Amino acid sequence: MPDEPVTAAAIARLIDHAILKPELTDAEVDADLDLAARWEVFSVCVRPSDVPRAVARLAGTPVAVGTVIGFPHGTTSTAAKVAESRQAIADGASELDMVLHIGRLRSGDVQAVADDVRAVVEAADGRVVKVILETAYLDDDQVTAGAKAAEAGGASFVKTSTGFGGGGATLHHLALMRDAVSPAVRLKASGGVRGLETLLEMRAAGVDRFGTSATETILTDAQRLESGAAASGAEDASSY
């Protein structure tokens, strides 16, 4: 992963563009969806009620539509998370980012956490499920236990944060998560990923996907870096 090129297109395919703020108007959601389509990011992660809107507006683009489950606190019942997952899938979502039950994890009830995850994974019926740990609320042992519980429940990804919990992704937590799960489980960094330098550091540490609302800033900087590298290469070639 560290050897991958720094091009705007390559970086865009690592990004889940977050459109989750509760106060966003329909017009603001549409503008963000158009931004995602313009940059051809991997996916958008939208509020559950916006899934049909996103699916319709992004039709014909390579951008996938994901949404959140049990967001942002993770404290809804397993039955509610399952119902929310089924509705999201019926509306056209292809990826689900669920918040695990943070309080149960901190209480040491890892089995309940894994069971909660497994129920959503089963409802997802083969679609990608990313499990949000909300690492800002956890100590190191809990981060490790949460990541392991997510894998035990069948998650495709473990993810750091909602972006609404007062803290975001850190290299320290990402290293703990990477060590806790098998190579089959991928990593998503979310919360505080606002610049290209941070993204590249985390990509080098093994992160596979990034949740951010700073997509345009990151990709504009990647585009500049790409243009600079191309210009430098042309200058080098002309010196021969």
Side-chain angles (χ1 to χ4, degrees), residues 186-204:
R186 291 171 283 173
L187 257 60
K188 178 173 173 179
S190 185
V193 184
R194 298 190 183 93
L196 179 62
E197 185 177 355
T198 298
L199 184 149
L200 293 176
E201 276 188 318
M202 291 181 175
R203 185 180 73 164

Side-chain angles (χ1 to χ4, degrees), residues 100-216:
L100 57 67
H101 198 304
I102 303 161
R104 297 268 158 74
L105 176 60
R106 294 184 69 243
S107 298
D109 195 350
V110 178
Q111 188 60 56
V113 173
D115 290 345
D116 191 51
V117 171
R118 187 175 298 106
V120 171
V121 169
E122 289 173 357
D125 195 23
R127 293 166 182 81
V128 167
V129 174
K130 311 183 198 101
V131 175
I132 304 169
L133 305 185
E134 201 68 292
T135 50
Y137 295 144
L138 308 177
D139 63 27
D140 287 0
D141 288 343
Q142 290 162 351
V143 169
T144 296
K148 287 181 180 295
E151 180 167 22
S156 307
F157 280 80
V158 286
K159 174 179 170 181
T160 54
S161 319
T162 63
F164 292 86
T170 68
L171 287 168
H172 173 67
H173 285 147
L174 288 164
L176 289 174
M177 292 160 64
R178 182 69 278 164
D179 288 345
V181 297
S182 73
V185 179
R186 291 171 283 173
L187 257 60
K188 178 173 173 179
S190 185
V193 184
R194 298 190 183 93
L196 179 62
E197 185 177 355
T198 298
L199 184 149
L200 293 176
E201 276 188 318
M202 291 181 175
R203 185 180 73 164
V207 175
D208 303 278
R209 201 87 69 79
F210 297 88
T212 183
S213 58
T215 298
E216 189 145 55

